Amino acid sequence: MSGIYVHIPFCSRRCNYCDFFFTTNTKLTDDFLISLDKEIQIHSASIPNQKFDTIFFGGGTPSILTGNQLLGIINRLRETFDITEDAEMSLEANPEDLTNEKIRELYSAGVNRLSIGVQSFIDSELQFLTRHHTSSIAGDVVKNSLDVLDNVSIDIIYSLPSQRAEDIIVSIDKAKVMGVKHISAYTLTYEDKTLLTKSANEGKIIRNTPEHEATLYETVSKEIISRGFRQYEVSNFAIPGYESRHNKKYWKLLPYLGLGPSAHSFIGNRRWNNLKSVGKYCELVNSRKLPIENDYELNEQQLQSDFIMLALRAEGINFTEYKKRFGKSFEVYNKRAIGELVQNGFAELSNDSFRLSTKGYAVADEIIARYF
Amino acid sequence: MSKPNIRNFCIIAHIDHGKSTLADRLLEKTRTIEKRNMMKQVLDDMDLEQERGITIKLHAIQMKYTAPDKQEYIFNLIDTPGHVDFSYEVSRSLAACEGALLVVDATQGVEAQTISNLYLAIDNGLEIIPVINKIDLQNSMVDEVTDQIIELLGCKKEDIILASAKADIGTDLILEAIVNRIPAAKTETEKPLRALIFDSKFDIYRGVIVYVRVFEGSIKVGDTIKFFFTENAFTAEEVGVLRMGRIKKDILNAGDVGYLIAGIKDVNDTRVGDTIFKIHEPVSEPLPGYKEVKPMVFSGIYPSSTEDFENLRESLAKLKLNDAALSFEPETSVALGFGFRCGFLGMLHMEIVQERLEREYGLNIITTVPNVEYKVYKTNGEVVLVDNPSDMPEPPKIDYIEEPYITSNIITPTEFIGNLMKLANERRGVFISTNYVDAKRVDLHFEFPLSEIVYDFYDKLKSYSRGYASFDYSFKDFRESSLVKLDILLNAEPVDALSTIVHKDKAFEWGKKLCTKLKELIPKQMFEVAIQAAIGSKVVARETISAMRKNVTAKCYGGDISRKRKLLEKQKEGKKRMKQIGSVEIPQEAFHAVLSLN
Ligand SMILES: Nc1nc2c(ncn2[C@@H]2O[C@H](COP(=O)(O)OP(=O)(O)OP(=O)(O)O)[C@@H](O)[C@H]2O)c(=O)[nH]1
Ligand code: SF4
Ligand SMILES: [Mg+2]
């Protein structure tokens, strides 16, 4: 089964830490939707034999769209591609967009999973992150969403300068109490060319030391897990059964088709991504060309190394699956690495799989670079 | 055609006094190089030379000079380096010449290598033409420097040419002096061939190219020739002279400087200083040749990846053709695998060899902490030379150890004498004498353990004298010293490539500094790393690198796996450049941590 990702490249303004691709020129929305429709049509011929069971609307801010606009896209997707009846349909939403009416519109358009950009339930932290909502709005929105649909996830950003573990636990607790089913908890990342990074470089804000960040990471993982969630990726936690089916496609090296500017795709052994410009995107699509920026084929060795990298960041490597896919046995080829990592508490080994522990997740990049 | 009037000369001086710039002017005046092809220090044709602004190799070039009286001359010029580490290039150049331009910077005056290179030239019986250069500069001290030169050479004031290589002052006078004062090369073409190899290099298309000075007889294409020492015979395929490139000729005659290509593929078949003769005109005596150079500093050079070992061997052999002062021998290290122990004339020489291996031969190498050579007297009466600390016998087997001493001259303005005495004291120097060069400058004569001056002495000397002192040295003898071997252990495993030999009184301090430095240089690992310095089984210092606790990208965003993979590949590349010893990954810089200790 494959997934579909749709990139909605609009935000009302830019948050200080964000380096995603979008534009604030929302006047382009109609043009974009027409072009998106065309892109879907172009793909109808080029993507045969794929069955899809997830659709993910990401951005940008997909919640900027009206229920009708969204319905239009979903209908077109269902007309064009073979999509299962019970497909997971996720949508990323900003709290300030989610009026009760909007929630119901989205739901009736087919959205059955909401990923809400809460980031924090503490107002000063929201201000630091230049978000537009307050913690009380976020609380209401989460509650209202849960009244309409059961599968609600929130994003949390932590490791803000001088943040204490207790501060984050406030947000975690609140999520749990309200009945949120899934938490994506990301440490604040200082991406190139963001205002946040600029302030840090100018010394206006002070980054946390890796030591402090490590402590926060450990605490956050422990606290979320202790509330009944299962960690199934470096930064992702779910009440069992509520894992994001779509995101797991990325992590299990399963196929996905990306639509919209800057969207990434992986089908067959090919990876490609669309270019990052709404204008150029529309222009190309309107002349019936795919708006692709990069396109390349992975060789067997790259596939293997991607598989390992992604699996180790997530639920680990299943030996049977690995053997089926690559025709060799992971556990035999990596005996020494497995032994060393398990012995030192970085990983856990079971009969048929090998996965990182929380301690291992914290240094996953190092482990992958060093051992695999 | 009348016999050519040949003048063979080199340009010698202390570093940076303007040799290569003067060469530029001579080349320009004789129209050897067209103006539009002219660039600064045009003979410094290695990238490294241009980048660093210093001459590393001798460079020979031929010019045609037409004197004011319309008489034509052939000049063979050799530009030489000024830095001590390349003095072997100077001595080889001198043997191919009859005269030398001794350049002295008008703002600096006589410095240490002015004197040492002058003595080399005098030993070779060369006619000296003193030139005071840079007289265009505001702060030039022509009178003082004139006095210094008169004092040094015993010449007359009129013998000294005042010049500015940069502003093209005095160039004509220099050209005329070359004609009038340097003896014409002898042109005994009737005698059997005797030619001196003064340099060589490896060319991928032509094999070995040797640079020769023909002293007697002649050599032409097709001649069967033989090398006196290596006893190999070859057929001369091509001979010629050196302009801005190689210019083919039919014949090289006595007096000429030029090149020879003879299908020599094996780099071991030639050696500089050897004499070439014709197989059917055997000669009984070789030309005087050169003194073998003795390396002063030794260090291990290892390929970063083990499969490059053979490649490294070949590259070193080819490089040695062009760098006769380099020596190398295979060695093995527990930590680094198979590599070579290389000998250099000094730290700059070592650095240059390292860079040339990387640039010209595309190798990725690791070099270890440099050290000097020790003479170890064992209790069983054996005497061994140890140029690698890990070869040092166990302490109970050692009766005593001797270390090399050098004799040195420091030339400095008098106001820095106090500072320099202090520096000498810190470096276990033995004061011998003071000589006044003139009223304001002295020549301080010291003896030092070589190990105390190889690393950073030169920088210290400059900072203790605000840049004014200069320094020259040569090997003196071996002397008994209290020396110990200081080992470094990482997580209790000794790393042989990090062992050093130090004076007993300095061992504790060094151990501590070295551990601290290594802590800085070795990145955090997934495990805690204990760094220990030990003498025998006694640990004298310890540092701990705490375990890395976080290294993970928070977000693998929207299926953009390529970005993540690129980051990972970069990280893996970084790791490739490290050496894994036990479970510890060590970056290359750590292997010469000692160098940045002070
Ligand atoms: N003002 C002035 N500067 C000069 C003159 N001659 C050389 N220089 C400068 O002095 C510096 C050193 O010149 P080089 O010609 O490279 O000196 P060198 O003696 O060949 O140096 P090494 O080969 O490294 O020993 C350069 O920056 C030159 O531009 C001169 O007559 N006047
Ligand atoms: S709303 Fe999301 S995509 Fe838009 S700027 Fe903020 S973080 Fe970035
Ligand atoms: Mg020079």
Side-chain angles (χ1 to χ4, degrees):
Chain A
M1 289 284 189
S2 315
I4 294 175
Y5 174 84
V6 184
H7 191 80
I8 309 299
F10 302 103
C11 285
S12 53
R13 22 164 292 289
R14 186 177 285 276
C15 305
N16 64 355
Y17 56 88
C18 177
D19 77 335
F20 293 156
F21 171 71
F22 63 82
T23 164
T24 50
N25 184 1
T26 45
K27 275 182 281 180
L28 295 174
T29 309
D30 288 340
D31 285 351
F32 163 70
L33 288 171
I34 294 168
S35 303
L36 178 64
D37 198 72
K38 287 191 180 144
E39 192 193 5
I40 295 171
Q41 286 171 32
I42 304 175
H43 275 302
S44 69
S46 65
I47 308 287
N49 311 326
Q50 297 284 330
K51 207 170 164 74
F52 298 92
D53 66 349
T54 66
I55 302 177
F56 191 104
F57 292 93
T61 312
S63 54
I64 254 180
L65 299 182
T66 65
N68 269 336
Q69 288 171 324
L70 202 70
L71 189 61
I73 305 174
I74 292 175
N75 283 342
R76 176 63 82 190
L77 287 172
R78 284 207 179 271
E79 271 167 47
T80 316
F81 299 113
D82 184 359
I83 297 171
T84 57
E85 202 49 50
D86 64 344
E88 174 189 276
M89 279 197 208
S90 294
L91 181 129
E92 286 181 335
N94 275 345
E96 64 268 29
D97 293 334
L98 290 183
T99 57
N100 280 345
E101 197 189 343
K102 183 64 155 285
I103 297 169
R104 272 190 301 272
E105 273 176 34
L106 295 174
Y107 183 65
S108 39
V111 172
N112 53 23
R113 181 174 182 274
L114 273 180
S115 165
I116 306 176
V118 170
Q119 319 309 0
S120 164
F121 282 113
I122 295 177
D123 282 333
S124 59
E125 294 182 356
L126 289 169
Q127 272 158 27
F128 174 84
L129 294 169
T130 62
R131 298 294 304 197
H132 256 192
H133 59 274
T134 60
S135 64
S136 87
I137 292 178
D140 290 347
V141 160
V142 170
K143 194 173 146 297
N144 296 339
S145 302
L146 280 161
D147 287 344
V148 177
L149 46 94
D150 159 56
N151 195 346
V152 172
S153 169
I154 64 163
D155 282 358
I156 288 179
I157 295 181
Y158 69 97
S159 190
L160 312 187
S162 75
Q163 191 180 31
R164 298 164 308 164
E166 302 94 274
D167 303 336
I168 313 167
I169 296 173
V170 169
S171 298
I172 296 172
D173 242 348
K174 190 142 184 189
K176 171 64 187 176
V177 169
M178 282 189 290
V180 162
K181 302 299 186 309
H182 183 283
I183 300 176
S184 300
Y186 302 112
T187 47
L188 180 62
T189 317
Y190 292 78
E191 305 286 356
D192 285 353
K193 292 182 193 140
T194 59
L195 281 174
L196 178 78
T197 303
K198 191 162 169 267
S199 312
N201 291 346
E202 286 167 358
K204 290 183 190 149
I205 56 173
I206 310 224
R207 298 181 193 213
N208 286 333
T209 61
E211 293 304 303
H212 185 50
E213 190 162 299
T215 307
L216 293 181
Y217 181 75
E218 280 159 22
T219 313
V220 166
S221 302
K222 204 178 82 212
E223 292 291 334
I224 299 181
I225 292 168
S226 76
R227 284 165 177 76
F229 292 80
R230 211 171 64 88
Q231 183 167 24
Y232 72 112
E233 199 257 359
V234 169
S235 309
N236 282 278
F237 304 83
I239 300 288
Y242 287 91
E243 293 85 3
S244 160
R245 227 195 277 165
H246 182 80
N247 283 337
K248 280 170 77 169
K249 306 246 184 268
Y250 304 145
W251 305 332
K252 297 190 91 114
L253 205 68
L254 294 173
Y256 48 91
L257 173 65
L259 302 167
S262 85
H264 289 258
S265 303
F266 172 64
I267 293 180
N269 295 335
R270 252 180 80 212
R271 283 197 194 285
W272 72 90
N273 67 280
N274 286 350
L275 45 78
K276 290 183 177 163
S277 151
V278 178
K280 283 212 190 92
Y281 168 82
C282 293
E283 205 181 295
L284 279 166
V285 170
N286 290 343
S287 52
R288 311 224 107 253
K289 286 194 195 98
L290 282 175
I292 294 178
E293 180 185 63
N294 289 306
D295 183 354
Y296 62 95
E297 188 100 20
L298 294 176
N299 61 32
E300 186 66 10
Q301 202 251 319
Q302 286 169 319
L303 281 170
Q304 267 175 51
S305 93
D306 276 10
F307 183 89
I308 294 171
M309 165 182 92
L310 293 163
L312 287 181
R313 287 179 56 91
E315 292 174 279
I317 288 159
N318 178 288
F319 299 152
T320 317
E321 192 187 332
Y322 187 89
K323 181 134 199 192
K324 207 166 116 203
R325 211 157 165 162
F326 300 110
K328 53 180 167 186
S329 107
F330 178 81
E331 66 278 25
V332 172
Y333 274 82
N334 297 286
K335 204 176 161 81
R336 195 186 64 86
I338 293 174
E340 217 169 291
L341 289 166
V342 170
Q343 201 193 342
N344 290 288
F346 291 106
E348 290 149 16
L349 183 65
S350 71
N351 264 349
D352 199 31
S353 74
F354 170 73
R355 64 169 293 173
L356 298 188
S357 59
T358 301
K359 180 178 167 194
Y361 277 142
V363 289
D365 288 2
E366 176 71 17
I367 290 177
I368 295 161
R370 180 171 170 148
Y371 290 98
F372 301 100
Chain B
M1 199 180 91
S2 68
K3 275 187 182 167
N5 255 323
I6 303 176
R7 300 289 184 281
N8 295 323
F9 64 96
C10 50
I11 311 182
I12 57 174
H14 189 79
I15 189 163
D16 271 352
H17 281 205
K19 298 173 287 295
S20 303
T21 309
L22 176 59
D24 288 349
R25 293 296 82 73
L26 300 178
L27 294 171
E28 212 170 71
K29 270 279 152 64
T30 54
R31 297 210 190 84
T32 312
I33 297 180
E34 307 219 9
K35 258 236 155 76
R36 67 187 150 85
N37 293 331
M38 198 61 207
M39 55 190 263
K40 280 187 188 161
Q41 289 99 35
V42 69
L43 290 181
D44 290 342
D45 56 6
M46 258 173 15
D47 289 348
L48 266 176
E49 296 182 306
Q50 284 287 339
E51 279 166 30
R52 293 175 177 241
I54 57 166
T55 304
I56 292 166
K57 281 292 303 167
L58 64 87
H59 295 280
I61 187 160
Q62 186 178 86
M63 303 177 268
K64 283 198 177 123
Y65 172 62
T66 310
D69 63 4
K70 299 283 178 292
Q71 179 72 38
E72 290 203 352
Y73 297 89
I74 285 177
F75 287 177
N76 288 306
L77 150 79
I78 304 180
D79 183 24
T80 67
H83 194 282
V84 219
D85 281 14
F86 309 118
S87 59
Y88 194 49
E89 298 284 316
V90 183
S91 38
R92 297 199 328 272
S93 307
L94 296 168
C97 300
E98 281 82 31
L101 302 178
L102 176 69
V103 176
V104 183
D105 185 326
T107 66
Q108 303 290 324
V110 168
E111 296 196 78
Q113 276 79 47
T114 315
I115 301 178
S116 59
N117 287 332
L118 169 67
Y119 287 164
L120 282 175
I122 291 174
D123 285 350
N124 277 269
L126 266 52
E127 179 65 34
I128 311 290
I129 302 175
V131 176
I132 297 181
N133 186 33
K134 308 198 189 180
I135 61 162
D136 58 303
L137 288 174
Q138 283 287 307
N139 55 337
S140 65
M141 317 173 290
V142 174
D143 292 341
E144 271 177 82
V145 178
T146 304
D147 289 345
Q148 289 169 12
I149 292 175
I150 292 173
E151 173 77 30
L152 189 65
L153 282 176
C155 63
K156 291 199 289 284
K157 192 174 172 189
E158 304 75 64
D159 296 335
I160 304 172
I161 302 173
L162 301 185
S164 164
K166 194 160 189 179
D168 194 12
I169 302 169
T171 318
D172 292 324
L173 292 175
I174 293 171
L175 287 164
E176 273 306 287
I178 292 166
V179 168
N180 297 326
R181 288 157 64 178
I182 295 177
K186 287 201 186 111
T187 48
E188 299 167 303
T189 25
E190 331 65 45
K191 288 198 175 171
L193 169 69
R194 284 207 299 171
L196 174 72
I197 303 178
F198 64 88
D199 201 4
S200 59
K201 74 169 187 186
F202 191 83
D203 180 286
I204 40 170
Y205 304 109
R206 310 301 308 267
V208 179
I209 300 176
V210 293
Y211 298 111
V212 294
R213 159 74 199 266
V214 183
F215 279 92
E216 289 157 1
S218 65
I219 178 169
K220 61 180 187 309
V221 177
D223 284 347
T224 312
I225 51 166
K226 201 166 170 181
F227 298 146
F228 198 94
F229 290 106
T230 56
E231 298 191 348
N232 296 307
F234 295 96
T235 306
E237 288 174 1
E238 182 180 322
V239 297
V241 296
L242 301 157
R243 298 271 168 75
M244 278 318 280
R246 297 191 296 265
I247 306 287
K248 269 194 228 179
K249 294 272 168 189
D250 301 329
I251 188 164
L252 287 180
N253 285 314
D256 283 337
V257 171
Y259 70 92
L260 159 75
I261 296 173
I264 311 167
K265 295 290 177 219
D266 186 343
V267 294
N268 296 315
D269 283 344
T270 57
R271 101 171 183 220
V272 295
D274 205 347
T275 301
I276 302 175
F277 62 98
K278 285 186 190 163
I279 215 156
H280 58 269
E281 293 174 357
V283 294
S284 52
E285 281 286 309
L287 292 162
Y290 310 119
K291 247 194 341 211
E292 277 255 3
V293 268
K294 276 232 165 64
M296 294 273 196
V297 195
F298 298 81
S299 132
I301 295 189
Y302 291 82
S304 287
S305 46
T306 43
E307 62 267 29
D308 273 343
F309 175 75
E310 271 312 317
N311 203 348
L312 176 59
R313 179 204 297 278
E314 269 171 42
S315 305
L316 279 168
K318 285 175 187 165
L319 185 57
K320 185 174 164 57
L321 267 189
N322 197 233
D323 183 353
L326 169 68
S327 70
F328 63 97
E329 243 172 58
E331 73 168 5
T332 50
S333 148
V334 182
L336 301 174
F338 292 98
F340 297 90
R341 176 100 328 213
C342 301
F344 312 94
L345 292 185
M347 293 299 296
L348 179 62
H349 184 210
M350 170 173 145
E351 216 178 296
I352 296 293
V353 166
Q354 211 174 304
E355 279 211 39
R356 289 186 73 183
L357 285 171
E358 292 188 330
R359 287 182 186 213
E360 293 170 33
Y361 298 92
L363 288 162
N364 201 344
I365 53 170
I366 295 178
T367 50
T368 65
V369 182
N371 55 267
V372 303
E373 186 172 52
Y374 299 92
K375 216 179 221 177
V376 180
Y377 293 78
K378 293 170 64 173
T379 44
N380 66 2
E382 243 182 281
V383 182
V384 286
L385 282 175
V386 172
D387 63 13
N388 180 347
S390 60
D391 294 340
M392 188 57 83
E394 291 303 312
K397 293 190 177 151
I398 299 174
D399 185 2
Y400 64 97
I401 305 174
E402 287 182 348
E403 67 176 325
Y405 267 66
I406 50 136
T407 165
S408 80
N409 295 80
I410 299 175
I411 297 196
T412 176
T414 45
E415 67 231 69
F416 303 113
I417 294 178
N419 273 354
L420 295 172
M421 287 288 186
K422 189 166 148 260
L423 173 62
N425 204 24
E426 285 166 18
R427 299 305 174 97
R428 298 192 279 140
V430 181
F431 175 74
I432 304 293
S433 65
T434 314
N435 292 314
Y436 276 79
V437 180
D438 58 28
K440 291 186 201 150
R441 284 146 58 95
V442 285
D443 176 352
L444 301 173
H445 183 185
F446 283 101
E447 287 167 2
F448 285 103
L450 175 60
S451 65
E452 295 285 345
I453 61 123
V454 280
Y455 300 139
D456 58 345
F457 184 79
Y458 192 72
D459 296 338
K460 279 270 152 34
L461 182 85
K462 289 286 170 194
S463 73
Y464 275 56
S465 66
R466 279 198 273 121
Y468 283 108
S470 63
F471 165 71
D472 190 72
Y473 65 91
S474 57
F475 174 75
K476 173 90 200 236
D477 53 16
F478 277 94
R479 295 183 197 169
E480 186 175 345
S481 263
S482 323
L483 299 164
V484 290
K485 180 172 158 224
L486 186 70
D487 291 319
I488 295 292
L489 295 86
L490 294 178
N491 282 348
E493 280 198 50
V495 182
D496 59 357
L498 286 173
S499 294
T500 47
I501 289 165
V502 287
H503 193 265
K504 212 169 113 225
D505 297 346
K506 295 189 174 182
F508 270 87
E509 198 194 321
W510 270 72
K512 222 156 84 208
K513 279 189 180 168
L514 198 51
C515 287
T516 316
K517 193 76 203 173
L518 286 169
K519 181 175 175 170
E520 249 169 63
L521 291 173
I522 299 176
K524 284 198 175 192
Q525 322 255 321
M526 287 166 55
F527 318 86
E528 186 177 279
V529 178
I531 308 170
Q532 292 169 306
I535 299 169
S537 57
K538 188 168 150 228
V539 173
V540 298
R542 183 194 159 107
E543 288 282 348
T544 308
I545 304 175
S546 59
M548 159 197 299
R549 287 179 54 207
K550 185 129 194 301
N551 179 8
V552 61
T553 320
K555 206 164 184 175
C556 222
Y557 168 70
D560 183 0
I561 309 301
S562 314
R563 177 169 161 185
K564 178 78 194 118
R565 167 143 31 73
K566 271 181 208 142
L567 282 174
L568 189 69
E569 274 163 10
K570 228 166 107 188
Q571 221 173 340
K572 282 190 175 164
E573 264 316 299
K575 290 204 177 288
K576 260 200 210 146
R577 272 180 267 114
M578 298 209 241
K579 271 280 159 185
Q580 182 152 353
I581 290 165
S583 60
V584 185
E585 290 174 325
I586 309 178
Q588 309 195 358
E589 307 86 77
F591 290 102
H592 32 255
V594 172
L595 299 184
S596 42
L597 271 191
N598 285 297

